[in-house]
Amino acid sequence: MDKRIYKLKVNDKNELNILNIGLEIFYNDLRKQGVNAIHVAWKPPVKLEKDIEDILSKVM
Amino acid sequence: MREEKPSLKIRVRYPYYTVNVKKGYYMDSIQLLKISEEVKKVPGVLEALIAMGTDTNKELLKMLGFSYEDLNVTPNDLIIAIGAESEDALKNAVNTAERLLEEGVGETREYYADLDTALSKNPDISIALISIPGQYVKDVAMKLIDRGINLHIFSDNVPVNDEIEIKKRALEKNVLVLGPGAGTVIIKGVGLGFANKVNVGSVGIVAASGTGLQEVSSLLSEIGIGISYGLGVGGNDVKNAIGGIMTIKALEFLQNDDDTKVLALISKVPDRETEEKILNYIYNNISKPIIINFLGGHARESAKGNVYFTYTLHQTILKITKVISENKYVEARNKYLLSFDELIRLADELKRELSGSQRFIRGLFTGGSFVNETLVILRELVNDLYSNAPIEGVAELKNPFKSMANSIIDLGDEVFTRGRPHPMIDPTIRVNRLLEEANYDDVAVILMDFVLGYGSHDDPVGAHADAIKHIMESSKGKKIIIAHVCGTSEDPQNVAEQVNKLRSLGVIVMPTNALAAFLAGLIVTNKSIEKLKYVYDGLIEV
């Protein structure tokens, strides 16, 4: 089996490392289960006006 | 069919109220729910709704009795609506809301403000759980897939083209993408999203049906049969646009997993072409016993000895136990099955309390798979059956906010969840709907599910208790409420406590969702006893 999917398998040390992004309630529930988890407090990207985006895309 | 009008409209007015809009302000729906709850605790406050300006929340605003002129609000804006007894109370509440919006109410002490930093400091991530608004999922998902990280995408409303791109990239990188719209994932006893605390064991489940996975894993666990992996794949995966990519990948994973001895595939009915593709894969590649439940699908003959088909979640549980051992099968039957005669007797007893005009069922569900299973059973027992999530043979309820005849409502449908927490977390919409449905004179039975586990409300029954008490008192016991509680004794809410609480309120609690639906059908049906027995044997028995 490919080792990346194999990462889903929990090893003897019970190591399952989970990244939670979005709803904090899910992170808190993972911690309650004693899982290694980290939380990313996601915010929507700042929306640039279309014309500024166009200019930036030409410059960058 | 004539539209019915409730005899009493649930509308309130507040002596003092405000409906304000903050333009371009984002906070996640659960944080906002917590803030709303905190604001409601301010003395003199009658109601508070602090929520993003989605159509669902605007509808709820009306339902809660806030009147407003043309509200210039988009889903990217925040609504602050508060009703209070006095001007001072209103002022205090507004100040509290503003303070909490600035400070937040979270429990998380340590978090990362951006994904790149989180990934650079934590290179060994097994799986990422994504629950951000659907339109933003692709950017985050691609970044994670490129690092070889498996995904559980809880988010709904991911554009289908994004889903296709995400899954194609995942195939290239050989990672699993569970979702979008996957409510539940279980990995060796660890629950992600909405999941119950289940024992670890030898049954591996692939599910395009979140609450289906919760029902089967919980009921198996309660009789000592553990789950190795519960891999929710999201409802879209079995549509032709996606073609079952991850359903097949998840089946392959379980076939290759040494700890998994028995497989189950639980799914809403796949598109025809995709169904054939998945079945071909199973016939050619799965050698372990596999129980397949396409909820609402046609009868199928198995073409291979290790492949079994069932019609309901209930039958799936019994069949899995039968494959595992005769002892476990007997135990499951004792715990989860009532005989046909017992059910008929119970229905006759309950019917005696009804008046002649009471003839319809209203189902108010938080779990989509429970809606499906209920429809599979009721379409055999009643006429004039409607749903906002219909299956073949059931009419579509055009306006999900207004029931007709026998209506089974999926309150987890996106029309009810845009910018709001799922009803398993926030019962506000269901409590209001419950009170409304109970006011119809021709309603005999209200069917409900209570889903426990991680992610769900701390006390779902308690959150509905006042409404149920009110219904029982005002109808003088003439409204029958039948419920099923999906959960385990290890869940934070504890299944036995929730069941006892419901029973003390006068609610009939059934051991499985299918039995709850069958009992409701028996109460209002006019089918012959032979037909009823035929349905019982076909959909409940194994």
Side-chain angles (χ1 to χ4, degrees):
Chain A
M1 190 181 298
D2 181 275
K3 72 176 182 359
R4 280 165 294 196
I5 287 188
Y6 194 79
K7 271 187 177 181
L8 264 194
K9 299 187 72 97
V10 182
N11 62 25
D12 294 341
K13 292 180 203 152
N14 210 27
E15 281 170 350
L16 182 68
N17 300 316
I18 304 178
L19 179 146
N20 182 64
I21 178 164
L23 298 176
E24 196 185 323
I25 186 176
F26 293 144
Y27 168 76
N28 291 327
D29 277 343
L30 289 167
R31 298 294 294 174
K32 278 180 209 159
Q33 294 177 75
V35 181
N36 295 331
I38 57 166
H39 178 65
V40 178
W42 182 88
K43 295 260 184 225
V46 180
K47 204 169 162 43
L48 295 173
E49 293 296 332
K50 180 81 178 68
D51 48 352
I52 300 178
E53 267 183 44
D54 289 346
I55 293 165
L56 280 177
S57 68
K58 278 180 196 155
V59 179
M60 293 172 80
Chain B
M1 174 79 36
R2 188 174 58 85
E3 258 192 17
E4 300 155 77
K5 293 259 183 312
S7 53
L8 173 74
K9 287 202 168 181
I10 299 151
R11 290 284 181 270
V12 280
R13 291 284 177 265
Y14 306 103
Y16 295 87
Y17 74 91
T18 176
V19 181
N20 284 330
V21 174
K22 271 181 184 286
K23 301 297 277 181
Y25 189 103
Y26 175 82
M27 192 176 266
D28 82 52
S29 58
I30 297 189
Q31 287 272 321
L32 291 172
L33 171 66
K34 284 184 187 163
I35 292 175
S36 299
E37 282 170 357
E38 287 303 312
V39 173
K40 278 188 215 170
K41 289 180 193 162
V42 173
V45 169
L46 301 168
E47 190 55 78
L49 178 71
I50 293 130
M52 300 306 292
T54 59
D55 288 346
T56 309
N57 283 329
K58 284 193 267 182
E59 192 67 37
L60 183 59
L61 209 56
K62 272 191 257 167
M63 209 190 274
L64 293 175
F66 286 100
S67 51
Y68 53 84
E69 296 292 306
D70 184 31
L71 196 64
N72 179 20
V73 62
T74 74
N76 297 320
D77 307 326
L78 182 79
I79 301 171
I80 302 174
I82 300 169
E85 282 169 353
S86 68
E87 207 175 338
D88 277 354
L90 184 64
K91 210 181 284 172
N92 286 341
V94 170
N95 289 340
T96 304
E98 293 288 355
R99 180 175 56 78
L100 292 174
L101 285 169
E102 204 178 308
E103 293 172 1
V105 287
E107 295 168 33
T108 307
R109 288 184 192 89
E110 286 177 38
Y111 62 82
Y112 294 92
D114 71 277
L115 183 58
D116 291 330
T117 312
L119 289 171
S120 67
K121 296 206 168 158
N122 301 274
D124 196 22
I125 297 293
S126 324
I127 184 165
L129 168 52
I130 302 175
S131 55
I132 63 177
Q135 72 264 37
Y136 300 107
V137 163
K138 190 177 96 177
D139 288 347
V140 170
M142 292 301 208
K143 194 176 274 187
L144 292 162
I145 290 169
D146 286 346
R147 289 175 180 249
I149 295 173
N150 299 291
L151 303 183
H152 171 192
I153 305 176
F154 180 88
S155 314
D156 274 326
N157 302 319
V158 175
V160 72
N161 286 335
D162 288 4
E163 183 172 346
I164 293 168
E165 271 188 64
I166 289 168
K167 288 185 172 171
K168 279 190 176 157
R169 182 78 67 92
L171 276 186
E172 285 166 26
K173 300 283 178 181
N174 206 14
V175 299
L176 272 179
V177 172
L178 304 167
T184 307
V185 169
I186 303 164
I187 302 171
K188 295 283 181 164
V190 174
L192 288 81
F194 292 130
N196 304 88
K197 184 73 185 161
V198 296
N199 293 320
V200 180
S202 63
V203 178
I205 306 171
V206 177
S209 151
T211 33
L213 173 52
Q214 289 193 264
E215 174 86 334
V216 174
S217 60
S218 294
L219 293 177
L220 287 175
S221 185
E222 286 295 275
I223 55 165
I225 296 177
I227 307 302
S228 55
Y229 295 88
L231 305 175
V233 294
N236 266 355
D237 197 72
V238 294
K239 293 187 175 153
N240 285 344
I242 311 295
I245 295 176
M246 286 299 154
T247 303
I248 289 171
K249 199 90 185 147
L251 288 167
E252 180 192 5
F253 175 80
L254 294 179
Q255 170 67 25
N256 291 330
D257 175 50
D258 293 339
D259 297 331
T260 303
K261 308 292 182 205
V262 177
L263 273 67
L265 170 62
I266 309 164
S267 173
K268 291 163 188 170
V269 184
D271 283 350
R272 200 75 189 171
E273 202 180 303
T274 302
E275 183 176 333
E276 293 306 325
K277 189 173 157 193
I278 293 169
L279 289 176
N280 277 336
Y281 177 82
I282 289 171
Y283 284 130
N284 291 316
N285 299 282
I286 302 294
S287 58
K288 297 175 181 178
I290 178 165
I291 291 88
I292 301 172
N293 177 215
F294 292 139
L295 262 176
H298 294 281
R300 274 198 172 270
E301 288 290 319
S302 174
K304 216 174 144 200
N306 65 320
V307 180
Y308 308 91
F309 289 95
T310 57
Y311 291 104
T312 55
L313 299 168
H314 176 102
Q315 282 183 323
T316 307
I317 293 153
L318 291 180
K319 192 71 196 174
I320 290 170
T321 60
K322 202 170 187 176
V323 165
I324 288 174
S325 82
E326 190 58 28
N327 284 350
K328 285 293 171 198
Y329 176 58
V330 171
E331 195 179 339
R333 288 182 69 87
N334 288 340
K335 195 161 172 155
Y336 303 136
L337 195 60
L338 272 77
S339 73
F340 179 70
D341 291 344
E342 279 176 289
L343 286 163
I344 291 282
R345 258 201 309 275
L346 184 52
D348 284 346
E349 218 171 275
L350 292 167
K351 255 193 277 190
R352 259 181 245 140
E353 300 296 323
L354 297 177
S355 68
S357 62
Q358 287 180 271
R359 57 205 169 99
F360 292 131
I361 300 170
R362 296 290 159 77
L364 301 177
F365 287 88
T366 61
S369 308
F370 288 145
V371 169
N372 270 35
E373 189 182 41
T374 300
L375 294 174
V376 166
I377 291 166
L378 288 184
R379 72 178 169 186
E380 303 296 331
L381 302 179
V382 302
N383 302 320
D384 296 331
L385 182 58
Y386 295 83
S387 177
N388 61 330
I391 59 171
E392 204 179 309
V394 176
E396 186 183 358
L397 185 66
K398 293 275 189 269
N399 179 359
F401 292 91
K402 204 163 238 351
S403 300
M404 297 166 71
N406 298 295
S407 284
I408 306 301
I409 315 295
D410 179 2
L411 292 161
D413 186 289
E414 62 182 52
V415 70
F416 296 109
T417 59
R418 279 188 204 111
R420 287 210 64 72
H422 193 278
M424 285 180 200
I425 301 171
D426 175 12
T428 312
I429 287 182
R430 186 160 76 156
V431 167
N432 280 281
R433 186 67 177 259
L434 175 63
L435 289 165
E436 190 179 317
E437 298 293 356
N439 271 321
Y440 289 95
D441 292 335
D442 51 10
V443 169
V445 183
I446 296 172
L447 262 176
M448 299 177 79
D449 61 345
F450 291 88
V451 181
L452 315 183
Y454 296 112
S456 285
H457 192 280
D458 292 343
D459 178 12
V461 173
H464 292 77
D466 285 346
I468 294 173
K469 231 180 272 172
H470 172 79
I471 292 166
M472 292 301 184
E473 282 168 13
S474 60
S475 74
K476 298 192 174 64
K478 281 191 174 300
K479 289 282 188 267
I480 301 168
I481 303 180
I482 301 175
H484 166 59
V485 182
C486 171
T488 71
S489 36
E490 300 296 319
D491 279 334
Q493 304 91 343
N494 188 296
V495 69
E497 280 175 27
Q498 294 285 303
V499 167
N500 289 340
K501 214 179 270 191
L502 279 171
R503 289 198 170 131
S504 72
L505 291 164
V507 174
I508 310 293
V509 185
M510 297 304 277
T512 69
N513 178 67
L515 283 188
F518 192 74
L519 178 63
L522 288 184
I523 291 169
V524 302
T525 191
N526 55 11
K527 307 281 180 203
S528 69
I529 196 91
E530 292 76 22
K531 167 74 179 173
L532 299 177
K533 181 72 169 64
Y534 176 78
V535 174
Y536 177 87
D537 288 342
L539 300 180
I540 306 287
E541 262 290 6
V542 164

